[in-house]
Amino acid sequence: MPGVRPPQEAPTSRSDAELIAGLRRIVGNEHCLTRPEDLFAYGCDALTLDAQRPAAIVLPESTEQVASAVALCAYLQRPFVPRGAGTGLSGGAHPTPGAVVISLTRMRRILSIDADDRIAIVQPGVVNADLSAAVAHHGLFYAPDPSSQQVCTIGGNVAENSGGPHTLKYGTTTDHVIALEIVLPSGDVVRVGSDTGFAAGYDLTGVAVGSEGTLGIVTEVTVRLSPIPEAVETLLAIFDDVPSACRLVGRIIESGMVPASLEVIDRRTIEAVEASVYRAGLPQDAGAVLIIELDGAACELQAQLERVRAFAYEEGVRGLEVARDDAERARFWRARKGAFGALGRLAPDLYVHDAVVPRTKLPEILEKICEIGDRHRLRLSNVFHAGDGNLHPNISFDRRDPDELARVIEAGREILELCVAAGGVLTGEHGVGNEKRDYMGLVFDDVDLDAMRRLRDVWNPDGLCNPDKIMPTTRPCMESNPKARGYDAVPID
Amino acid sequence: MDVTSELYEGTLDCVHCGLCLSDCPTYLDTGRETSSPRGRIYLMRGVAEGQIELGPGVADELHLCLGCRACESVCPSGVRYGALLERAREQLVDAGLRKGQGPRLERLLLRSLLARPARLHAFISAIGIVRALRLDRLARRLLPAALANAQALLPPIPPSPLRAPLPSWTPAVGERRGRVALLEGCVMRELYGAVGRATIAVLTRNGFEVVVPEGQACCGALHAHAGDLSFARSLAERNVVAFTEQGGAPYDAVVTHSAGCGAAMKESGGWLPGRSDGLAALTRDICEWLDESGLVAEPGRLELRVCYDDPCHLVHAQGIADAPRRLLSAIPGLELVPHAGASDCCGAAGTWSLGHPEMSARILDAKLDAIEAASPAVLTSGNPGCLMQLRAGVEARGLAIRVAHPIELLAEAYGMAVPGQR
Ligand SMILES: Cc1cc2nc3c(=O)[nH]c(=O)nc-3n(C[C@H](O)[C@H](O)[C@H](O)COP(=O)(O)OP(=O)(O)OC[C@H]3O[C@@H](n4cnc5c(N)ncnc54)[C@H](O)[C@@H]3O)c2cc1C
Ligand code: SF4
Ligand code: SF4
């Protein structure tokens, strides 16, 4: 296969001691962590499977320090892995053994806010929700709102092209990032994009957003801010089952309305949330709750609200609640955003799946997903961005039980195959990371994958920057790739 | 650690989602995963599963933790972090990882000073004398750093009438609504006698007869936080006897005016399973109790601009945020002004600040910035550690802000002249 390189071996030619001494000189002793406890704690992100230990962790405070650390790694041929808050769900911030983790959490300054042009320039470690809080008094907010927004960093959002419940109307991170400063894997610092949002030449900002830290380390982000809408209405539509909720979603979208968000929470998730600190009084006997948020000009909103109400009754809604005030709205959202964590109550581990299917196929796919869960005797729950067909089937399990773990992985694979066969994709917002790289063959053939590899190799020629992510290490799984049918199957792993 | 232990089981509640990170003062200060709640729980689990050793690094991280439990308030998965921390710290002691001068001194002071009222009284008197003779500067040079810091943190030592034991029985004023017991508290008694007196005054004015039972002991919170669970258990045992097994008819409530003591008593069921559940169920913070039972006496006017700062062990450990605010707002003329980060730790955290003066100062600085921006006349908080830390901070910045327990303002609104203190 042309252009396909063997996976990079962990380099052993230079000693850890030399590396660590160099890193200490760059960031200072205090910000270079090498105790066994640190290496253990930085072994994984929010996906705890396949944890590894890095050689060291550095916490730089400036672009210069990042560039120097990267240059040192390049010189010593050491792999390095950028990391934000470590809330990633696809293992994107997992270190390869012996890698240097470059944590951006100390680079958390908002560098400038231009309320008139609605632009902010931030360091990558700024926490998503902190940015919105900092610009609220200008009547502005930063639109991408992952459920982890109280914690996750803008740098991590850029790397994952993160979305959130409001992606339906506002788009994902890529729609709100207009320029970046990036430390390339060589240690060079480049600026891509421009503060006007228009730039001549290749759209390198677009290439970097969603590259999962494999093209360099983002050290500055210029984002577009959005005006806080004049009015917001948030409804809870209570249904007996998930398919009915999905049908209402279909009705609303087909009517031409563009709600800010349409989120479905199933019964098992409701129970978990109601048992947690994020309880919001969701009815625990409901089969599903659909959160509908409408925003925009006050004069238009009432009419929309009435239409939604009418559709809801036609689709057999059991109850409809409208948030009385901002406090109640916040409570609904806290419940929705605390859902993943709340599912942690069911078992020691949670596998948060992420796939996208055409919205119209939601009811039938969800039914099949539940079948897969049942067949594998797994506790599966669904909480998802229904408006864009972005599913999150979540599986509660105990990683100490090897048999259950095997069933989780098998069910996960079947769910992905199902979604892909229905015309969907591997991930809506959590990225490929190391979790799904060996499924890339489900949707891309060798030529597609090779094009991606060659793009990566231009900036990351030695493969040192976040290795083992996105691109499959084995040859793609051609068995299930419709484009590649007829070739010999190559087993994964 | 034993893989089947309660501690290990508790760590399994954590799904590693990270939603607690932004609420953790040590993560915010350092940016480090290892110094975050998720990191600490992962270390505990790693030790139990034999993936890492129970060594000095684990000990350092578990003692860098303030025990503020802000992580518990935001954890969707219901991790009982405070209980895990206590157990894990006990194991550090058992494993011999709390050696050296500091931990030994801490244990000694907690066991043989804090829990011994007579000695504590003599000790505080001695500090008063040292200060009166202006020997404190000298003392600062001679004492070990942590002790010198402690000395600097102490408020002015109250006059001796305020340090006398509280009356063992005070009748209700007007119609009697019930009978409550008061936990006097060790630090509260020596340094905040005015608060104890204000508490009794407000309770009696609202129809409660107040008993301060004999034989009561220190709540054991600081001992447990330091990993001395066995001593904490013995103190809890004494309190079970004092508050639930003597004194005739059962009390309607056991009231505390210190958030730390209240949290410890409410959770003492975990220390003495089965034995302490009755005491735990009876325990109420003073603000919680008054809010629950309602004020019957109308407070008078106090034209004051007031900030309320949540003690961690009230808001996070006991989940009480509204009650003190409602009580303060019930005072006519009092303007309760919000300040940013009211529920963030002030950096005192019991004895923690003594061992981590620099980080404590940074945490306190953020708090004081928010307070300054709100510019109140009085800053209130309901826990002795917080009162000391906030007072020291306000004084160091030279701010003209009085620091008081909310119950003191309520007592003043009832027209009670409690000899004030800052
Ligand atoms: C409870 C929960 C809810 C979530 N909800 C959502 C959701 O609604 N929508 C959504 O999209 N995601 C969601 N996520 C996933 C996750 O929060 C996002 O992917 C987030 O953007 C990760 O940010 P982080 O700072 O934690 O990054 P990390 O997890 O630390 O890193 C993520 C990836 O970004 C790379 N990276 C980090 N910083 C940089 C940088 N400065 N430069 C280059 N690469 C970098 C890392 O190498 C890694 O590949 C959720 C996760 C959890 C645990
Ligand atoms: S919020 Fe709770 S479940 Fe999530 S990482 Fe923190 S302690 Fe663990
Ligand atoms: S108790 Fe406080 S300091 Fe300790 S981990 Fe939790 S939030 Fe952090």
Side-chain angles (χ1 to χ4, degrees):
Chain A
M1 278 182 292
V4 179
R5 315 165 159 263
Q8 199 77 32
E9 293 289 314
T12 48
S13 54
R14 313 260 184 163
S15 71
D16 277 4
E18 183 182 359
L19 171 76
I20 289 165
L23 292 172
R24 286 191 191 287
R25 272 196 299 278
I26 295 166
V27 295
N29 276 344
E30 195 191 337
H31 304 300
C32 174
L33 316 179
T34 55
R35 296 175 307 174
E37 292 78 13
D38 297 309
L39 308 184
F40 180 66
Y42 281 89
C44 62
D45 51 21
L47 177 74
T48 49
L49 300 175
D50 297 326
Q52 300 286 354
R53 290 183 207 198
I57 302 98
V58 289
L59 297 99
E61 62 174 10
S62 63
T63 301
E64 293 69 43
Q65 289 189 355
V66 174
S68 303
V70 167
L72 178 68
C73 290
Y75 173 68
L76 296 174
Q77 287 291 294
R78 262 307 163 141
F80 55 93
V81 181
R83 178 179 168 115
T87 65
L89 288 163
S90 57
H94 282 207
T96 36
V100 174
V101 171
I102 300 181
S103 164
L104 286 311
T105 47
R106 290 181 61 239
M107 290 178 62
R108 48 184 302 160
R109 275 187 306 131
I110 295 175
L111 300 171
S112 67
I113 296 171
D114 182 338
D116 295 331
D117 282 333
R118 294 183 186 154
I119 282 174
I121 303 180
V122 303
Q123 289 190 315
V126 167
V127 168
N128 176 301
D130 289 353
L131 175 56
S132 280
V135 298
H137 66 282
H138 295 299
L140 299 171
F141 75 114
Y142 177 62
D145 65 333
S147 299
S148 52
Q149 74 186 124
Q150 297 297 336
V151 188
C152 65
T153 66
I154 298 289
N157 295 170
V158 168
E160 299 289 3
N161 187 21
S162 298
H166 292 81
T167 290
L168 180 60
K169 178 167 181 174
Y170 291 95
T172 58
T173 301
T174 194
D175 301 308
H176 302 270
V177 169
I178 52 178
L180 296 169
E181 178 186 79
I182 307 175
V183 174
L184 296 181
S186 57
D188 297 330
V189 181
V190 294
R191 282 201 150 268
V192 299
S194 85
D195 291 357
T196 58
F198 297 93
Y202 296 107
D203 176 13
L204 296 179
T205 313
V207 171
V209 175
S211 63
E212 303 192 22
T214 63
L215 296 181
I217 299 187
V218 172
T219 46
E220 236 177 72
V221 188
T222 307
V223 299
R224 223 194 275 286
L225 303 168
S226 309
I228 295 174
E230 186 191 358
V232 187
E233 291 288 355
T234 311
L235 292 85
L236 282 189
I238 298 150
F239 286 96
D240 286 329
D241 53 41
V242 174
S244 318
C246 293
R247 276 195 294 277
L248 176 56
V249 169
R251 285 293 296 276
I252 294 174
I253 292 188
E254 282 148 26
S255 76
M257 275 188 266
V258 186
S261 105
L262 290 169
E263 299 279 310
V264 173
I265 309 178
D266 76 357
R267 178 191 220 125
R268 199 171 259 156
T269 311
I270 293 171
E271 281 171 8
V273 170
E274 287 301 313
S276 80
V277 289
Y278 297 112
R279 71 188 69 87
L282 304 180
Q284 299 200 44
D285 57 344
V289 164
L290 171 65
I291 303 182
I292 306 164
E293 189 155 285
L294 305 166
D295 69 9
C299 56
E300 292 165 12
L301 227 52
Q302 280 314 309
Q304 286 193 23
L305 189 66
E306 288 319 310
R307 285 181 78 193
V308 167
R309 213 189 278 273
F311 291 149
Y313 284 109
E314 282 166 32
E315 295 300 339
V317 75
R318 229 180 67 183
L320 204 55
E321 282 176 36
V322 182
R324 281 181 299 259
D325 49 26
D326 286 344
E328 189 163 60
R329 180 175 0 270
R331 222 170 23 252
F332 292 167
W333 280 117
R334 273 162 49 95
R336 164 60 187 89
K337 295 192 170 185
F340 288 159
L343 286 166
R345 312 177 84 83
L346 303 182
D349 298 285
L350 181 72
Y351 182 60
V352 179
H353 220 324
D354 173 38
V356 184
V357 297
R359 181 186 39 76
T360 47
K361 295 194 175 152
L362 277 177
E364 70 179 272
I365 298 276
L366 280 161
E367 199 174 314
K368 288 187 184 150
I369 287 176
C370 291
E371 268 168 38
I372 294 174
D374 290 344
R375 186 153 37 77
H376 291 284
R377 290 171 286 122
L378 294 168
R379 272 168 295 175
L380 187 145
S381 44
N382 283 291
V383 40
F384 55 101
H385 313 304
D388 6 60
N390 186 354
L391 292 174
H392 294 310
N394 304 309
I395 306 177
S396 303
F397 70 104
D398 186 340
R399 73 177 111 125
R400 296 169 302 167
D401 175 350
D403 176 62
E404 190 176 35
L405 180 57
R407 282 182 279 127
V408 170
I409 292 171
E410 176 57 20
R413 190 178 63 79
E414 286 178 28
I415 290 172
L416 278 185
E417 285 174 353
L418 171 75
C419 293
V420 170
V425 296
L426 292 180
T427 162
E429 51 183 22
H430 297 166
V432 176
N434 67 0
E435 176 208 7
K436 289 182 176 162
R437 64 194 156 124
D438 286 330
Y439 297 123
M440 287 290 273
L442 286 177
V443 271
F444 301 109
D445 65 14
D446 282 357
V447 182
D448 300 336
L449 289 174
D450 191 46
M452 290 188 204
R453 268 197 198 93
R454 282 188 290 165
L455 173 67
R456 182 193 63 185
D457 291 352
V458 173
W459 278 1
N460 187 12
D462 300 328
L464 294 174
C465 185
N466 212 3
D468 299 343
K469 309 293 153 59
I470 306 183
M471 304 312 296
T473 42
T474 55
R475 284 169 60 201
C477 174
M478 286 175 281
E479 188 178 30
S480 33
N481 179 356
K483 288 193 200 170
R485 224 167 261 140
Y487 289 67
D488 284 346
V490 178
I492 298 170
D493 287 331
Chain B
M1 291 180 205
D2 169 10
V3 237
T4 56
S5 75
E6 205 186 321
L7 168 59
Y8 176 59
E9 291 297 321
T11 63
L12 300 182
D13 290 337
C14 173
V15 277
H16 222 75
C17 68
L19 290 187
C20 49
L21 267 55
S22 294
D23 285 82
C24 174
T26 58
Y27 172 76
L28 292 176
D29 189 77
T30 62
R32 296 180 189 169
E33 175 73 24
T34 330
S35 307
S36 77
R38 176 173 70 173
R40 293 185 174 113
I41 296 165
Y42 198 56
L43 292 185
M44 295 180 207
R45 179 172 178 168
V47 168
E49 292 180 342
Q51 302 198 60
I52 50 162
E53 262 177 57
L54 182 61
V58 176
D60 287 349
E61 288 304 339
L62 294 182
H63 279 276
L64 181 66
C65 167
L66 290 95
C68 69
R69 300 168 64 175
C71 47
E72 251 178 89
S73 282
V74 292
C75 172
S77 192
V79 172
R80 293 178 53 239
Y81 181 84
L84 296 183
L85 182 68
E86 277 176 5
R87 295 290 183 290
R89 284 186 177 171
E90 185 182 33
Q91 298 206 351
L92 295 176
V93 175
D94 293 350
L97 283 163
R98 295 295 292 160
K99 295 214 187 83
Q101 197 201 11
R104 228 177 344 209
L105 184 66
E106 182 181 25
R107 196 177 171 95
L108 181 80
L109 290 181
L110 289 178
R111 278 197 173 202
S112 43
L113 191 61
L114 197 65
R116 305 276 189 115
R119 285 191 202 163
L120 183 64
H121 187 81
F123 180 75
I124 298 287
S125 303
I127 291 180
I129 294 168
V130 166
R131 282 184 175 175
L133 297 175
R134 304 202 170 274
L135 291 173
D136 40 340
R137 291 227 182 117
L138 182 71
R140 209 166 290 183
R141 261 188 288 144
L142 295 179
L143 289 173
L147 271 190
N149 291 338
Q151 200 282 126
L153 207 60
L154 292 183
I157 311 300
S160 28
L162 277 182
R163 291 173 54 219
L166 294 174
S168 59
W169 177 76
T170 315
V173 176
E175 196 187 330
R176 182 175 172 283
R177 295 163 76 204
R179 177 167 168 270
V180 301
L182 179 65
L183 176 83
E184 213 174 352
C186 38
V187 181
M188 289 306 282
R189 167 166 155 168
E190 287 300 329
L191 297 175
Y192 293 98
V195 178
R197 285 162 179 79
T199 303
I200 294 179
V202 173
L203 280 168
T204 51
R205 271 296 273 274
N206 282 284
F208 295 103
E209 171 185 338
V210 181
V211 182
V212 180
E214 295 253 325
Q216 60 172 283
C218 163
C219 67
L222 293 176
H223 307 84
H225 300 165
D228 196 354
L229 266 181
S230 63
F231 198 70
R233 285 191 189 100
S234 69
L235 294 172
E237 174 58 38
R238 279 163 58 192
N239 281 329
V240 169
V241 174
F243 288 104
T244 63
E245 293 177 352
Q246 60 182 35
Y251 301 111
D252 295 311
V254 175
V255 173
T256 81
H257 44 27
S258 146
C261 306
M265 303 242 291
K266 284 182 180 179
E267 292 174 357
S268 57
W271 300 347
L272 298 175
R275 177 86 179 107
S276 189
D277 297 346
L279 174 60
L282 273 183
T283 303
R284 295 286 185 285
D285 181 77
I286 177 64
C287 293
E288 179 187 21
W289 179 248
L290 291 171
D291 185 58
E292 190 178 312
S293 48
L295 297 180
V296 289
E298 188 66 30
R301 277 193 93 72
L302 278 187
E303 302 282 351
L304 282 177
R305 200 177 150 84
V306 175
C307 281
Y308 173 73
D309 201 59
D310 298 271
C312 293
H313 282 106
L314 198 58
V315 63
H316 301 307
Q318 301 182 55
I320 297 173
D322 297 339
R325 292 183 168 85
R326 268 196 296 265
L327 277 187
L328 287 168
S329 306
I331 301 175
L334 187 147
E335 185 197 357
L336 193 59
V337 280
H339 62 286
S343 64
D344 296 350
C345 185
C346 65
T351 51
W352 180 90
S353 66
L354 307 180
H356 306 86
E358 284 156 16
M359 198 184 286
S360 173
R362 284 194 293 271
I363 295 172
L364 177 60
D365 248 5
K367 174 73 65 187
L368 292 173
D369 288 346
I371 301 283
E372 255 198 276
S375 80
V378 188
L379 167 60
T380 58
S381 191
N383 188 60
C386 313
L387 288 171
M388 281 190 234
Q389 171 93 341
L390 294 172
R391 189 205 63 89
V394 162
E395 186 142 288
R397 281 205 187 182
L399 304 176
I401 299 175
R402 176 183 161 206
V403 177
H405 192 295
I407 204 71
E408 291 182 271
L409 293 191
L410 203 55
E412 282 163 35
Y414 284 129
M416 280 164 239
V418 194
Q421 54 180 179
R422 276 194 48 172

